[in-house]
Amino acid sequence: MFKDYYSILGIPENATPEQIKAAYRMQALKWHPDKNPDRDTTEQMKDINEAYSILSNADTRARYDKEYQSYQYANPKNSSKQTSASEDNDYDIQDDQLRQDIKKARMAAEEYVKEFYANLKKDSANAAKGALDGAKPYLVVALVMTLIGILFAAFHSISSSSAEAPEPVVQTPDLKQQEESLPDGWTKYSAGSSFQISVPSTVELRGEEDEYSKSLKSLNLTQNDDNIIFQQKGLSRREKTALDQYCRIMIQYLKGSYGDFMKATDTETLDSEWKGVLDELVEGCIGPAARLMGSYTYKWSTINGAKCIQIDYRRTGNNFDPSIPVVCRIAIFQNNNEMVKLVLSYREKESSIWKDDFDRVFNSFKWI
C-alpha cells in the first residue's frame, strides 16, 4: 500500500522544510496519548513519524515525490482529495530504493513509538540518562521543537508581505568571547555582528566533543545542533554535582531578508491571533514529554532598547513529573532581517542558584 505522506501531515506537495516540521509537530501534539486518553493512537503516531522521516530528508523526499506523481496518475481519484494512511490502494512502488527508504522509516517509527510509550511509563530517573534531552535526529521535532517556522509564518500572516523572498533560515553563528571585564566572573559573548549576551561563571558553553555531548551521540540522540547551548558548569565532564542539577540557556538565530521581521524597537498588539501563535510556541518548547503547569504570561519587554515578546511559564519535569517543576522563559527578539529565540530554564527547587543570574542573562541581550 502506498501512503500519502502529504495527506498524513496535512500539507501541500510544495511544503517547505519549515512547514513540514511545523505540521509534524502539530500532528504529534494532536495524536499524543495524553490528549487521546480514550483511544489508541499508536498507528497514527507511527504514520506521522514515518511520513516525517521520509519528507524531512531531501534525498528520500525527492525519490518519494517522483513516485508520488506516478501514484497520482494511477489513482486520479486521490489527486482531488486527501487520503488517509489507512485507505486501501493497490499501487505498487516501482523504486526499489524508495521501498527500502520506507521500510527503514517504518522500522524507525515503530522503534520510536515503542520507546516513547515506554518512557511515558518510566519515572523521571530515566531523564538522567539524557533520553529526553533530545530525540533521534530524523525525529528531532518530536521532543525538542523550535517553532521558528511557525513563528515566521505567523509574522507574515499577521502583517503579510506582498513580495516573495527566500524564507529565513536557522543559522548557528560562532560565539566569540569578549575580553571586556565583567563583575562576578561573568563572560560576554558576541555572535558576529548580530547580538551579544553575557553569562555567569556557573554555566558553560556546550561543545561538540565534550563527554556529555559524546554520551548523547553514543545514544544516537540529538545535541540540538541548531542552537547555541549553555548548561550547568561541569556537565561537559559529567560531574556528579552537575548531573544533579539542571539549567539551560538556549539561543536560536534566524537570518532572513530585510523586512521579514519587525524592527527592533517596534511592537504591535498581541491579539487573539498572536495568542494562538504563542500557544503553539509554548506547547512546542514544552514538548510531548512534559506538561504546562498553570498558565503562561506574555508581554512586550524592553531590553537594552530592543523590544521582545517575553513568555514565562512553569512545566513539569520530564515524563510529566510534577514534583520537579521547571521554570521557563522564552524571549523573541526581532531586528528587521534577523530574529533570536532565547530560552532560559531551570528547576524551580534550584531557583536560589539560577534565578537572579538568569534574569541578568535575559537583561544582557543586545543587538550589535
Side-chain angles (χ1 to χ4, degrees):
M1 181 181 72
F2 186 87
K3 294 181 181 179
D4 187 339
Y5 293 144
Y6 291 107
S7 178
I8 290 172
L9 295 182
I11 53 176
E13 298 165 42
N14 62 349
T16 65
E18 289 77 16
Q19 289 173 323
I20 292 172
K21 287 182 180 181
Y24 171 72
R25 184 200 58 77
M26 294 178 69
Q27 292 294 327
L29 291 173
K30 176 182 177 181
W31 296 111
H32 190 281
D34 187 50
K35 292 195 174 185
N36 298 271
D38 300 324
R39 63 183 299 189
D40 183 1
T41 60
T42 303
E43 290 306 312
Q44 287 89 343
M45 291 184 67
K46 290 178 182 177
D47 283 340
I48 61 176
N49 280 288
E50 178 184 332
Y52 180 72
S53 182
I54 294 295
L55 297 184
S56 62
N57 180 284
D59 292 334
T60 57
R61 183 183 182 184
R63 286 191 286 271
Y64 177 82
D65 283 350
K66 184 176 181 180
E67 192 83 27
Y68 188 63
Q69 293 180 357
S70 299
Y71 163 72
Q72 288 182 308
Y73 180 79
N75 297 269
K77 65 183 181 70
N78 292 330
S79 62
S80 60
K81 66 181 184 71
Q82 288 189 333
T83 58
S84 69
S86 60
E87 182 172 339
D88 291 334
N89 65 73
D90 57 3
Y91 180 82
D92 184 31
I93 299 174
Q94 304 299 309
D95 188 330
D96 290 337
Q97 181 60 57
L98 177 61
R99 190 178 292 110
Q100 290 300 313
D101 292 339
I102 292 173
K103 181 179 180 180
K104 291 179 181 178
R106 186 64 180 183
M107 291 176 62
E110 290 176 346
E111 178 186 356
Y112 166 73
V113 172
K114 179 180 178 180
E115 292 176 358
F116 177 76
Y117 274 96
N119 281 328
L120 289 180
K121 297 178 181 179
K122 293 178 183 178
D123 61 28
S124 59
N126 292 316
K129 299 178 182 178
L132 293 178
D133 192 68
K136 294 180 179 180
Y138 47 81
L139 300 171
V140 61
V141 185
L143 298 182
V144 184
M145 295 171 280
T146 66
L147 270 292
I148 289 295
I150 277 190
L151 219 48
F152 170 65
F155 293 150
H156 280 254
S157 65
I158 293 172
S159 53
S160 59
S161 173
S162 57
E164 285 196 17
E167 290 195 10
V169 294
V170 176
Q171 299 183 0
T172 308
D174 290 331
L175 280 191
K176 301 295 184 182
Q177 184 173 333
Q178 302 299 295
E179 297 299 327
E180 179 180 346
S181 177
L182 295 172
D184 304 323
W186 281 58
T187 303
K188 179 178 289 186
Y189 289 89
S190 65
S193 59
S194 299
F195 64 89
Q196 63 185 29
I197 197 166
S198 298
V199 301
S201 60
T202 50
V203 301
E204 62 186 13
L205 183 61
R206 179 178 294 181
E208 292 184 6
E209 298 303 321
D210 62 39
E211 290 182 24
Y212 183 71
S213 296
K214 288 180 179 178
S215 69
L216 294 181
K217 290 180 181 178
S218 69
L219 293 171
N220 198 27
L221 300 176
T222 182
Q223 301 181 73
N224 298 323
D225 291 331
D226 58 356
N227 287 271
I228 296 167
I229 301 176
F230 292 91
Q231 58 199 16
Q232 61 268 36
K233 192 170 184 177
L235 186 61
S236 61
R237 298 180 298 279
R238 299 186 62 80
E239 296 177 359
K240 186 180 185 306
T241 54
L243 291 171
D244 290 340
Q245 297 177 342
Y246 170 81
C247 79
R248 290 292 185 274
I249 301 170
M250 302 178 68
I251 306 169
Q252 190 169 60
Y253 176 72
L254 192 70
K255 186 65 177 288
S257 302
Y258 187 88
D260 278 343
F261 305 110
M262 297 172 63
K263 295 179 181 179
T265 55
D266 285 353
T267 64
E268 63 182 29
T269 302
L270 298 176
D271 56 17
S272 59
E273 192 168 6
W274 263 109
K275 178 62 165 56
V277 174
L278 301 182
D279 287 345
E280 299 286 354
L281 178 61
V282 171
E283 283 194 57
C285 285
I286 290 175
R291 183 182 296 110
L292 179 68
M293 300 180 70
S295 57
Y296 67 87
T297 62
Y298 60 97
K299 63 180 181 179
W300 283 103
S301 295
T302 304
I303 306 297
N304 293 314
K307 300 293 184 179
C308 76
I309 301 174
Q310 176 184 334
I311 308 168
D312 291 292
Y313 62 93
R314 294 165 70 244
R315 64 167 174 82
T316 64
N318 284 327
N319 296 315
F320 308 101
D321 189 344
S323 68
I324 48 171
V326 177
V327 178
C328 305
R329 173 172 294 173
I330 305 171
I332 303 297
F333 293 88
Q334 304 174 71
N335 188 28
N336 290 318
N337 66 333
E338 54 190 346
M339 183 171 76
V340 165
K341 182 180 74 170
L342 171 66
V343 181
L344 307 167
S345 58
Y346 55 86
R347 289 183 186 142
E348 189 171 60
K349 66 180 182 180
E350 298 164 0
S351 293
S352 61
I353 303 174
W354 310 114
K355 182 182 184 306
D356 290 344
D357 280 352
F358 274 35
D359 284 342
R360 291 178 65 180
V361 171
F362 172 57
N363 285 291
S364 74
F365 181 90
K366 185 177 182 180
W367 291 114
I368 299 175

